[in-house]
Amino acid sequence: MAVDANDGRTLEERLRLIEDRFEIYNLIASHPPSADTGAGDYTASVWTEDGVFDRGAEFPRPTGRAAIAGGSSNPEHQRAIEQGIAHFAGLPYVRVTGDTAVAISYLQILVPDRVGPLFDVPNHGSSRGFHVHRVSANRWEFVRTGEGWKIKRRTLRPLARISHADRCIGVLVLRKSFCDNGLSQDQGIPDADRV
């Protein structure tokens, strides 16, 4: 087994970490198409049985795989799909620690602009474009199971409610009120990189 002189991990451990990150990236990347198509069965397959989806005080907070997946068939969500809602996820920051992981990402919710001027894009047709309805910060908590990585908890907050002091260029630093059980500085993570 080859060992990297910088961190002491074997090549196999480093490869597993890469595979873990790819699996977590895929879980996050699958959220937009599954939300935009109402794929409740898929949604149920990626959450733990006791998962929690916390979107803040203004929205329901489903707990449990079935309740979270049930949001896909909610009549209001179905109306949003019919009106062309599009979830657009940014590349996440992922920290894997053994059999748990935390990821921080942005999510944009786009909706068709129904009042803007019609414009043409060469070779792509005409449209009124889209309107950015909301941009949110997400904290995803994952656990490794016998079936692969699953979402244990997802906390989502609109950026308008996260103070300027909690944002840095390219890095979102989420304070205790948003991600209390994250990694600490004594685990070797610099302040600006803490999640």
Side-chain angles (χ1 to χ4, degrees):
M1 270 190 262
V3 177
D4 185 293
N6 293 328
D7 64 12
R9 286 184 280 195
T10 65
L11 183 59
E12 289 81 5
E13 290 168 330
R14 292 170 57 208
L15 180 58
R16 180 178 182 180
L17 180 60
I18 292 167
E19 290 173 341
D20 289 343
R21 282 196 173 130
F22 276 132
E23 188 173 345
I24 290 167
Y25 288 160
N26 284 339
L27 283 172
I28 294 171
S30 70
H31 167 258
S34 66
D36 296 342
T37 59
D41 289 343
Y42 176 79
T43 300
S45 75
V46 299
W47 282 83
T48 61
E49 192 61 47
D50 60 348
V52 176
F53 184 20
D54 176 3
R55 296 192 302 160
E58 69 182 285
F59 295 106
R61 184 181 179 184
T63 300
R65 174 185 292 155
I68 294 166
S72 299
S73 59
N74 171 308
E76 291 300 307
H77 185 72
Q78 290 298 311
R79 279 188 47 221
I81 291 171
E82 289 167 10
Q83 293 177 10
I85 191 169
H87 292 72
F88 188 79
L91 186 65
Y93 169 84
V94 176
R95 169 84 50 185
V96 178
T97 307
D99 290 334
T100 62
V102 174
I104 303 296
S105 67
Y106 285 140
L107 175 72
Q108 292 183 57
I109 296 179
L110 308 175
V111 294
D113 187 342
R114 302 198 187 288
V115 297
L118 192 65
F119 62 94
D120 292 320
V121 174
N123 199 39
H124 290 82
S126 299
S127 109
R128 288 188 164 81
F130 280 79
H131 169 79
V132 177
H133 175 69
R134 182 179 303 232
V135 178
S136 300
N138 290 261
R139 176 186 166 86
W140 304 78
E141 298 174 33
F142 301 91
V143 62
R144 186 191 318 270
T145 71
E147 301 169 336
W149 287 95
K150 302 283 183 186
I151 305 164
K152 174 84 171 163
R153 181 181 185 91
R154 180 175 169 211
T155 305
L156 177 119
R157 295 292 183 270
L159 286 184
R161 297 203 183 127
I162 297 174
S163 73
H164 178 71
D166 286 341
R167 288 187 237 171
C168 297
I169 297 173
V171 177
L172 179 63
V173 180
L174 302 173
R175 300 286 180 226
K176 190 173 182 75
S177 64
F178 189 59
C179 58
D180 190 26
N181 64 1
L183 303 171
S184 65
Q185 188 173 14
D186 58 19
Q187 290 172 300
I189 300 167
D191 283 342
D193 200 26
R194 244 194 295 174
V195 291

